Each structure stands twice: as structure tokens, then as C-alpha cells.
Amino acid sequence: MDTFVLVHGSWHDGAAWDATIRALEEDGQTAFAPTIAGHGKGVNKHVNHADCTKSIVDYIVAKGITGFVLVGHSFGGTVISKVVEAIPDRVKRLVFVNGFVLRDGHSLSDEAPPHYGALFDKLASESTDDTVMIPFPIWREAFVNDADLEMAKWTYAQLSPEPYQPIKDKLDLKKFYSLPMPKSYINCTEDTAMPHGDWNWHPRMSSRLGLYRLVQMPGSHEVIYTNPKGLAAKIIEAGRD
Amino acid sequence: MDTFVLVHGSWHDGAAWDATIRALEEDGQTAFAPTIAGHGKGVNKHVNHADCTKSIVDYIVAKGITGFVLVGHSFGGTVISKVVEAIPDRVKRLVFVNGFVLRDGHSLSDEAPPHYGALFDKLASESTDDTVMIPFPIWREAFVNDADLEMAKWTYAQLSPEPYQPIKDKLDLKKFYSLPMPKSYINCTEDTAMPHGDWNWHPRMSSRLGLYRLVQMPGSHEVIYTNPKGLAAKIIEAGRD
Amino acid sequence: MDTFVLVHGSWHDGAAWDATIRALEEDGQTAFAPTIAGHGKGVNKHVNHADCTKSIVDYIVAKGITGFVLVGHSFGGTVISKVVEAIPDRVKRLVFVNGFVLRDGHSLSDEAPPHYGALFDKLASESTDDTVMIPFPIWREAFVNDADLEMAKWTYAQLSPEPYQPIKDKLDLKKFYSLPMPKSYINCTEDTAMPHGDWNWHPRMSSRLGLYRLVQMPGSHEVIYTNPKGLAAKIIEAGRD
């Protein structure tokens, strides 16, 4: 049995993992899902990427969690890459779930297609607090393409605006790329949040991990909602020794 | 419940959708499958692409069908792209089933690999009526690769020669690319009618749709025969709001 | 019912096919799995690629096997490409299971990513008999990524060092590329023994076959161990007329 720390992606908070955690626990696993600083409804959104990382490190240290599998979904991939630099000895393996694996010195913005960059710049500049809310049509077609309309609306209602600064912060990842940590990548085969083709998650992001374990499952970027039991099974498969 | 107009591909006629329609109707959906002008056995094959489009538009208008999902398989993708330009207000969503999404000003021939072009030129020049019949070995290996030999032969017997002019006609698709219509793309993961690699259906064709909903299923280019129930389920998933 | 000759890959011997043969026989098929010269435990490893080919040809001729489907896994793909040149009239169809389809004049080394080449050069030079043993971490993450640790260790214990000369021998494949033999390619979708992206099995290797039948299944490079029943079903699907 393993222990997992699950780090959510943009617009989400820790509660996005609720159903996945139930499935993990039914299998006898242990799982934690902290909320990243600046994320969730009704909180201060003025954070940078270092604040995001620190909030997860602080959670892990305060809880005294060790020997665990560190899982990052989407934007959460950038967070676990920095968390593991801070506390490498506590982490047994990294698992990216269609997560960003940034090149050293890059920001998430540097790795997203230009049409997203232009849209997010505009949305952030129109917000009062430098945040970006994903428009529902993009969410429905490209993020939860495997949901029916009712579930698409329900999941959208769980989201909150994403602080833009962590998306723009360029990250020093030299230590990350030097760590001998085992790594896995879960790719959902219908995930078009990053468009298939030149901008795909896999193998564009995954191959940067060097030697890694590939695990795939059907589904969209948001199997966290549309197939949490399936996701839990794949996290176990990706996380085991 | 939705209403679907299903537009077949090359060598087929409307009857190719029979089993898919039964599966859609069993689910409570409504579906129509007109035969494109110049298609089917024993008909006049001297048609161009505009004739093909007009025949489908006329069918829809005569039947008074509105608020429907317009589905195009393979060559049928080029037809629905022009049909929706003629009657955009009747169409709720476009669904391409491994369908051609041509670039503005291109013909289907312009989007197929050179070895197909050379073969089709030769076959058309050898025919008495400027048509192309796909050779059985190509049909068996690259189109119905998931069928057994008996089904491969039976399906081949359903086909009739394809008029070549609509394949060569270059299409003005400026209006198509300006329509805000929601769009979906169903990709069958073993469909090698367009060779995987540089000439693939997905993401080469699908990504031209801009924001679109990706739906995938196992199977060949001819799941219309080899898995009509599975295809119907994916058409419903692709067509829903 | 078909007859199959199954040719194993690097580090394996014929016994690797045991469970697949049981599944084929339960379906009423007939199957043979010779061990390639220089392969298996405790044998003379000083062989070249021609010795490998000759050992399989000799086996088939001695057994009097005709009208069979010739299957090659991984390195075995290079062997069946030369075997079929020697005895084309006995072979009904070729099936590559994530097998190497080399370009004329190339060696397997020429088709593998540079990081494997550098590693294998080093391992061979450190060996006493010009062989290469795959390190367990690579085996576990990139070859049997769908196994649990226990099965990963058990499968690794079945392996023996691979003679390096056959990997380095450049092959004349002009006759292979001129044979009109039907061909199939089975691609396991989580097989990362060749890294996904520029070095992938499919469509990089498969597309060199010209007209071929694609069959896909979930799983790693070693479904021969992790899903032999599923592999047998796909071999039947790939091998039928």
C-alpha cells in the first residue's frame, strides 16, 4: 500500500480529488489533496509560483508525510517539479497526470499554444485581480469532452479563477532534472486541453522525463471528475515500485 | 434525444448506415441517411461536388429537417462542410467521422497521399465513366482491417465505383471556416485509410476545426460495418450539447 | 485455423512464447517458437545476424512447416525479414509485433535512439563475450511498464545477455522489400521500448511495410508476459487472410 499526495491543476482546488481519494482509500491506499495557495473560491489570488510550491511543501512537512508518491495534474505538474526539489528525500516517485513538465527556465505560458496565451492575456487584463477564468465553451469541448452537458456544467461550477502570475513565472528546474527520482506519466488519450499534434501532452511533455513509466487510459483532461475510479486505478499502477 | 443526418463516404450509399441507424433508434434517437448524388449502384455517375452537396441539401429541405446534428464520414466530411454553408440555421452541430476537413481552396485529392493520387488517376482513366473502384487488397488491409475475410468480402460487395470529379473539385470553404457551429471529430484509432504519420486523420484533419470535441473509439475506417453499435454510441456522445 | 512460427526478440528465447502458444492452441491454432541461435541461457553467444536467420530457416525446413504466418517480436522483426527472403514460398503472411522493420542496408543499431546506442556500446565493451544485458530499471519502466514489481522481476529472471553482433550487422533487405507477401503490424499502445515521438514503433516502422494491416492492443513491449491471451487474439486477427 502506498501513500499519495495529489496536487490539483488550474481552476481546481484540493476537493477536485475527493472521488479519486475515495477510490484510492477503498483500495487500501492513503491519499492527501492539499489546496495550492491562491486556489479555491474566496481566497486571496495574489500569489506567485513560489507561493504555490511553498504551500504544498508546508502541508507535507506539517503533516509529517514521508515515503510518498507525489502526483501532479496539469498545472500541478509544475508545482510537484519544484516541491520535489525542496524535499526530495520524502518523495518515492513522481507521477504526472497530463501534467506540465516544463523545460528549465520556462513558464507554463511558454509551453502553451499561442492562441491560449493571447486569450489568457486578454482575460487577465480584464479581471480585477490578475486572474483567468476559462470560458465555458473551451471547458466543455476541450477539457470535459467525455462528460454530458449536465456534468460539464456541474464541474464548471466547481472552478474558480486562476491566478495568472504562477502561469507566467519562469522556473529554475536544474535540480529537478538532476534528481534520480523514478517518474511516471499518465496520459488520457482523449485529453485535448493541450491540442493533439505539435502541442500534445504526450510525448512532448512526458519524454522530457528521460526514463519514465508510461500509463495510459481513455478519457479527457478531467477524468478526475468523469472517471475518478479509473484514474485511481491508473495512479496506483503509475505509483507502484 | 437528437436528430441526425448521416452522410456516407466514397463507394458507399445511404444503406451503409442501416445498422448504425437501428442502433441510434434503439436509443431513442432519430436518424436519416440520404444517398449522395452519383453514389450507389446503377446510377448516373456524372456528378461534380456541387451536385453532391445539392442532393443532400435538397433532401434535408424536402424532409423539413431542422435542429439536427450533421454527420459526415470520410468523403462525406467534404459534403457536410458545404451543406452547412447552404443551410447553417438548420444545423445544431457538425460531427466528422474520420472525415475530410479540407483547407479552403483544396480538393480531397490535394489532401490524400501521392500514392493514392497516382493510383486513382490511373483507375479513373481506365474506367468508362471517370469513376474509381478501390482495389480489394487495399480495402481489406487498410479500410476493414478489423473485419474477418468473410465480412471484408461482404462489405466490398456493397460498394460501387466512386465518381472522380467530386474528389478533384477544389472547394471554397471560407464560409465554412467562419461559421461558429459547434464541431466534433470521431477518430477510430486503427483507421489507416489515411496512413498514420504525416497523412493521418487525427490530428491533421481534426485540428483544422479550431475548438472541437474529440471522441475516439477502437476500429477501422469501416466501423460503420464492423461495429455499428459502437459507432452509434460515439455519434451520440459526439453530437450531444 | 492457421499455423504460426513465432520468432522472439532480444534477451528472450523461444520459451517466452509459452503462454501465447497455449492460448493459440486453445483456439485451435498451431504454433512453433524456435529459439534463435546465440539466444537463451548457457549457449555460445558468438553469432552474427546470418547465423540467427539460418537457425530459424533450418528449424522451419527440418520441421517441414509450410503455409504459415511468420511472426516476429522486436529484434525478431529483423530475423523474419531475412527468413522470408530465404523461404518466401512457405510463408503466407508476415506479422510484426512491435518489431523492427529496418531500412535496406541498416542495422538495428541504426534505428535505435542514440542514448540506447551509447549505453549498449558500453555494456558490450564491459562484457567478456560481446553481449548486452538490459539494465533492470530500463526493463522495469520502459519494457514491462504494465507489470507489477513481482512480475517485472520474474520476467527479468527469464532473460539472458543478447549477442551484440546481430544488432550491429547491416542487412541487405532489397529482396524483402520486393516480396508481395501480405503484412500486418501489431502495435501495443503503451510500448515505450522505442520512445514515443520521433523514434516510435508505429508508424515509423510499420509504415515502411507499404500496404499493411494495422492491429493495436493496450500494453507494453512485453505483453508476451503481461497479456499472452490478448496477444494471441491479436496475432490471430493480424494473421488471418
Side-chain angles (χ1 to χ4, degrees):
Chain A
M1 294 304 111
D2 280 312
T3 299
F4 297 89
V5 173
L6 310 168
V7 180
H8 62 81
S10 292
W11 305 295
H12 289 299
D13 56 39
W17 293 105
D18 281 356
T20 307
I21 289 176
R22 273 199 301 278
L24 288 168
E25 289 178 346
E26 279 168 19
D27 192 65
Q29 317 287 335
T30 304
F32 301 89
T35 292
I36 302 170
H39 288 69
K41 298 185 179 182
V43 305
N44 175 14
K45 298 279 176 179
H46 288 284
V47 294
N48 61 20
H49 199 282
D51 297 325
C52 294
T53 298
K54 184 173 184 302
S55 68
I56 301 301
V57 170
D58 288 351
Y59 176 96
I60 291 164
V61 172
K63 292 259 187 191
I65 313 170
T66 58
F68 63 94
V69 177
L70 180 57
V71 180
H73 175 229
S74 196
F75 165 72
T78 72
V79 177
I80 67 170
S81 301
K82 292 302 293 182
V83 168
V84 74
E85 288 188 341
I87 50 172
D89 295 344
R90 290 177 181 257
V91 178
K92 202 174 76 164
R93 178 182 286 266
L94 294 173
V95 176
F96 293 80
V97 181
N98 285 132
F100 283 93
V101 181
L102 301 183
R103 282 171 288 186
D104 178 44
H106 275 222
S107 68
L108 191 154
S109 283
D110 294 332
E111 306 275 9
H115 69 273
Y116 274 142
L119 173 67
F120 286 10
D121 281 351
K122 181 170 173 291
L123 292 171
S125 72
E126 290 169 1
S127 75
T128 57
D129 53 357
D130 197 33
T131 62
V132 169
M133 187 59 192
I134 189 163
F136 180 74
I138 297 177
W139 179 258
R140 200 274 163 278
E141 302 293 10
F143 282 67
V144 287
N145 33 317
D146 55 350
D148 63 17
L149 183 59
E150 185 184 12
M151 175 170 275
K153 287 179 175 169
W154 180 83
T155 59
Y156 192 71
Q158 311 309 305
L159 307 180
S160 64
E162 177 73 7
Y164 199 34
Q165 188 60 48
I167 305 294
K168 291 181 292 186
D169 283 337
K170 292 177 187 294
L171 304 186
D172 181 335
L173 291 165
K174 286 179 198 68
K175 184 171 178 185
F176 167 72
Y177 279 111
S178 75
L179 290 171
M181 195 79 50
K183 300 172 188 87
S184 299
Y185 202 95
I186 298 176
N187 180 51
C188 296
T189 53
E190 284 74 42
D191 182 340
T192 54
M194 286 293 106
H196 289 194
D198 292 343
W199 295 95
N200 57 25
W201 294 107
H202 172 72
R204 185 173 64 114
M205 296 286 173
S206 47
S207 62
R208 297 172 183 167
L209 297 175
L211 179 63
Y212 72 101
R213 182 188 306 169
L214 175 66
V215 172
Q216 294 196 107
M217 63 179 287
S220 72
H221 195 59
E222 299 295 329
V223 289
I224 199 171
Y225 292 130
T226 60
N227 186 11
K229 286 188 184 183
L231 176 58
K234 291 298 178 177
I235 286 175
I236 293 167
E237 191 182 330
R240 64 190 174 186
D241 285 337
Chain B
M1 294 304 111
D2 279 311
T3 298
F4 297 89
V5 174
L6 310 169
V7 180
H8 61 80
S10 292
W11 305 294
H12 290 299
D13 56 40
W17 293 106
D18 280 357
T20 308
I21 290 177
R22 273 199 301 279
L24 288 167
E25 289 178 348
E26 277 167 21
D27 193 66
Q29 318 286 334
T30 304
F32 301 89
T35 292
I36 302 170
H39 288 70
K41 298 185 179 182
V43 306
N44 176 13
K45 298 279 177 180
H46 288 284
V47 295
N48 61 20
H49 199 281
D51 297 325
C52 294
T53 298
K54 184 173 183 302
S55 67
I56 302 302
V57 170
D58 288 352
Y59 177 95
I60 291 165
V61 171
K63 292 260 187 190
I65 313 169
T66 57
F68 63 93
V69 177
L70 180 57
V71 179
H73 175 229
S74 197
F75 166 71
T78 72
V79 176
I80 67 171
S81 300
K82 292 301 295 182
V83 167
V84 74
E85 288 189 340
I87 50 170
D89 294 344
R90 289 176 182 259
V91 179
K92 203 174 79 163
R93 179 182 286 264
L94 294 173
V95 176
F96 293 80
V97 181
N98 285 131
F100 283 93
V101 181
L102 301 184
R103 282 169 288 186
D104 179 43
H106 275 222
S107 67
L108 190 154
S109 282
D110 294 333
E111 306 274 8
H115 69 275
Y116 274 142
L119 173 67
F120 286 9
D121 281 352
K122 181 171 173 291
L123 292 171
S125 71
E126 290 170 0
S127 75
T128 58
D129 55 356
D130 197 33
T131 61
V132 169
M133 187 60 193
I134 188 164
F136 180 74
I138 298 177
W139 178 258
R140 199 274 164 279
E141 301 294 9
F143 282 69
V144 289
N145 35 315
D146 55 350
D148 62 18
L149 183 58
E150 185 184 13
M151 176 171 275
K153 287 179 176 170
W154 180 84
T155 59
Y156 193 70
Q158 312 309 306
L159 307 180
S160 64
E162 178 72 7
Y164 199 32
Q165 189 59 48
I167 305 294
K168 291 180 293 186
D169 283 338
K170 291 178 186 293
L171 305 185
D172 180 336
L173 290 165
K174 287 180 196 69
K175 184 170 177 185
F176 167 72
Y177 279 111
S178 76
L179 290 171
M181 194 79 49
K183 300 172 188 86
S184 299
Y185 202 95
I186 298 176
N187 180 52
C188 297
T189 52
E190 284 75 40
D191 183 341
T192 54
M194 286 291 107
H196 288 195
D198 292 343
W199 295 96
N200 57 25
W201 293 108
H202 172 72
R204 183 174 66 113
M205 296 285 173
S206 48
S207 63
R208 296 173 183 167
L209 296 174
L211 179 65
Y212 73 101
R213 183 189 305 170
L214 176 66
V215 173
Q216 294 196 109
M217 64 181 286
S220 72
H221 195 59
E222 300 295 329
V223 289
I224 200 171
Y225 292 130
T226 59
N227 186 10
K229 286 189 183 183
L231 177 58
K234 291 298 178 177
I235 286 175
I236 293 167
E237 191 182 330
R240 65 189 176 187
D241 286 336
Chain C
M1 292 304 111
D2 281 312
T3 298
F4 297 89
V5 174
L6 310 169
V7 180
H8 62 80
S10 293
W11 303 295
H12 291 299
D13 56 40
W17 293 105
D18 280 357
T20 307
I21 289 178
R22 274 200 300 279
L24 287 168
E25 290 178 345
E26 279 168 20
D27 192 64
Q29 318 286 334
T30 303
F32 302 89
T35 292
I36 303 169
H39 287 70
K41 297 187 178 181
V43 305
N44 175 14
K45 298 279 177 180
H46 288 285
V47 294
N48 61 21
H49 199 281
D51 297 326
C52 294
T53 298
K54 183 172 183 302
S55 67
I56 302 301
V57 170
D58 288 350
Y59 176 95
I60 291 165
V61 171
K63 292 259 186 191
I65 313 170
T66 58
F68 63 93
V69 178
L70 180 55
V71 180
H73 175 228
S74 197
F75 165 71
T78 72
V79 176
I80 67 170
S81 301
K82 291 302 292 181
V83 167
V84 74
E85 289 188 342
I87 49 170
D89 295 344
R90 289 177 183 259
V91 179
K92 204 174 76 163
R93 178 182 285 268
L94 295 172
V95 175
F96 294 81
V97 181
N98 284 132
F100 283 93
V101 182
L102 300 184
R103 282 170 289 186
D104 178 43
H106 274 222
S107 68
L108 191 155
S109 282
D110 293 333
E111 306 275 8
H115 68 276
Y116 273 143
L119 173 66
F120 286 10
D121 281 352
K122 180 170 173 293
L123 293 171
S125 71
E126 290 169 1
S127 75
T128 58
D129 54 357
D130 197 33
T131 61
V132 169
M133 187 59 195
I134 188 164
F136 180 74
I138 298 177
W139 178 258
R140 199 275 163 278
E141 302 293 9
F143 283 67
V144 288
N145 35 316
D146 55 351
D148 62 18
L149 182 59
E150 186 184 11
M151 175 171 276
K153 286 179 177 171
W154 180 84
T155 60
Y156 192 71
Q158 311 309 306
L159 307 180
S160 64
E162 178 72 7
Y164 199 32
Q165 189 59 47
I167 305 293
K168 291 180 292 186
D169 282 338
K170 291 178 187 293
L171 304 185
D172 181 335
L173 291 165
K174 287 180 196 68
K175 183 172 179 185
F176 167 71
Y177 279 111
S178 75
L179 291 170
M181 196 78 49
K183 301 172 189 84
S184 298
Y185 202 96
I186 299 177
N187 180 51
C188 297
T189 53
E190 283 75 41
D191 182 341
T192 54
M194 286 293 106
H196 288 195
D198 292 343
W199 295 95
N200 58 24
W201 295 108
H202 173 73
R204 183 172 66 113
M205 296 285 173
S206 48
S207 63
R208 295 173 184 168
L209 297 175
L211 179 64
Y212 73 101
R213 183 189 304 169
L214 175 67
V215 172
Q216 294 196 109
M217 63 180 286
S220 72
H221 194 59
E222 300 295 330
V223 289
I224 200 170
Y225 292 130
T226 60
N227 186 11
K229 286 189 184 183
L231 177 58
K234 291 298 179 178
I235 286 175
I236 293 167
E237 189 182 330
R240 64 189 175 188
D241 286 337

